[in-house]
Amino acid sequence: RVQLVESGGGLVQAGGSLRLSCAASESSVSPAAMGWFRQAPGKEREGVAVIFNPSRDGYYDDSVKGRFTISRDNAKNTLYLQMNDLTPEDTAMYYCAADDWVPAASRRFSTYDYRYWGQGTQVTVSS
């Protein structure tokens, strides 16, 4: 079983940046699929960015394209999300997710296709 621990959230002003990290406990094999999801109060959890081994290319929701960058360091079993030019609309709890299998393209942002989840880290962007 993979355990995920997020860090790096906090309070930032609009236009600022944050870098989230997600450490995976599985020491032998990095999960095939990893990603970041977020959930704002009163809204459903949504996919933000995902990345699949062995590619270094990420897939992004349209709302964050050009501002967020997902990356992973397999040697450290760590996933990152660099968030730039943050807006109040980015305020949410951010969750790290992983699975042993790469989902179909049409389901890459589906929460049902990720088995392992972290506890979340809060990101608050003030205007």
Side-chain angles (χ1 to χ4, degrees), residues 25-125:
S25 65
E26 180 60 47
S27 60
S28 59
V29 179
S30 292
M34 296 192 76
W36 292 97
F37 292 71
R38 67 185 180 186
Q39 188 168 19
K43 295 187 177 181
E44 292 187 354
R45 193 170 298 188
E46 61 179 6
V48 175
V50 295
I51 190 168
F52 308 126
N53 268 339
S55 175
R56 295 183 177 273
D57 296 330
Y59 298 89
Y60 300 91
D61 183 77
D62 286 345
S63 64
V64 305
K65 280 182 181 177
R67 301 188 299 122
F68 291 10
T69 302
I70 189 171
S71 62
R72 64 190 296 175
D73 185 335
N74 287 338
K76 296 181 178 180
N77 264 354
T78 302
L79 180 74
Y80 302 99
L81 185 68
Q82 178 66 43
M83 306 186 295
N84 298 328
D85 195 20
L86 286 160
T87 73
E89 288 70 35
D90 295 315
T91 295
M93 184 72 79
Y94 282 71
Y95 297 91
C96 176
D99 200 273
D100 300 317
W101 300 95
V102 175
S106 61
R107 299 183 62 84
R108 58 173 60 121
F109 289 124
S110 169
T111 58
Y112 295 102
D113 284 60
Y114 293 82
R115 187 178 323 177
Y116 309 114
W117 291 85
Q119 294 300 307
T121 184
Q122 178 68 38
V123 171
T124 303
V125 185

